Amino acid sequence: MKTKIISLIKSETFRQLIIYGIIGVIGLFVDFGVYWLEVYQFGIQVELANFISSSCGLINNFLWNSFLNFKVRDHLIRRFIKYYVVGQITTLFTTVCLYVFVTLLGQNKMVVKMIATLVATMLQFGVNKKFTFNKK
């Protein structure tokens, strides 16, 4: 068991997962920074601001993941479309989780957001590694 854990930690997939998470945190700063500017500085409606800011975060993350993490530079438009669709689907997933667990069931907003984001990130990583950034 110990050997399997050490092997997993030393694997390329684990390295990619860690870098994916770091890039995700950077993307959160981009998303929230753009959202803040749109809403508080330019008075843009929150739903539109959320779509634009999350799109900025996804573009940021796609570029970092393409060139630094997964090191793929071919078919970038096709890869970006896949990445963007996966990102928006997982955004929908986290929104549904927030609605169900916070609005309907009265759970803690931040706890639900953190857990839903963690689950969404793991799902995104798996889908993006297999389909978006596959080198075949």
Side-chain angles (χ1 to χ4, degrees):
M1 179 71 161
K2 183 178 178 181
T3 307
K4 286 184 181 183
I5 292 172
I6 291 171
S7 176
L8 174 68
I9 290 172
K10 290 182 178 182
S11 73
E12 178 72 7
T13 298
F14 186 75
R15 182 196 70 78
Q16 289 172 334
L17 176 62
I18 297 301
I19 293 172
Y20 192 88
I22 293 167
I23 291 169
V25 170
I26 294 167
L28 284 174
F29 281 105
V30 170
D31 181 353
F32 279 79
V34 170
Y35 180 81
W36 182 86
L37 285 172
E38 292 173 312
V39 172
Y40 293 104
Q41 298 301 309
F42 301 116
I44 296 175
Q45 183 182 14
V46 294
E47 293 83 4
L48 177 60
N50 186 54
F51 174 75
I52 293 168
S53 68
S54 70
S55 294
C56 290
L58 286 170
I59 292 167
N60 172 78
N61 292 2
F62 172 77
L63 293 172
W64 281 107
N65 275 304
S66 291
F67 294 103
L68 175 70
N69 193 11
F70 296 103
K71 297 177 174 81
V72 293
R73 292 166 177 82
D74 60 334
H75 311 290
L76 286 178
I77 293 173
R78 185 184 70 194
R79 290 180 191 278
F80 175 73
I81 291 168
K82 289 179 182 180
Y83 188 85
Y84 189 79
V85 168
V86 170
Q88 292 301 359
I89 289 169
T90 55
T91 297
L92 178 61
F93 167 78
T94 58
T95 302
V96 169
C97 287
L98 287 165
Y99 176 75
V100 169
F101 291 103
V102 175
T103 304
L104 298 180
L105 300 175
Q107 300 299 309
N108 183 283
K109 296 172 190 173
M110 291 308 292
V111 171
V112 172
K113 173 77 170 159
M114 286 188 293
I115 292 170
T117 300
L118 179 62
V119 170
T121 300
M122 296 297 181
L123 293 171
Q124 276 181 330
F125 174 76
V127 171
N128 282 322
K129 180 172 174 54
K130 179 128 178 108
F131 297 108
T132 305
F133 297 112
N134 189 335
K135 293 182 183 179
K136 293 181 183 180

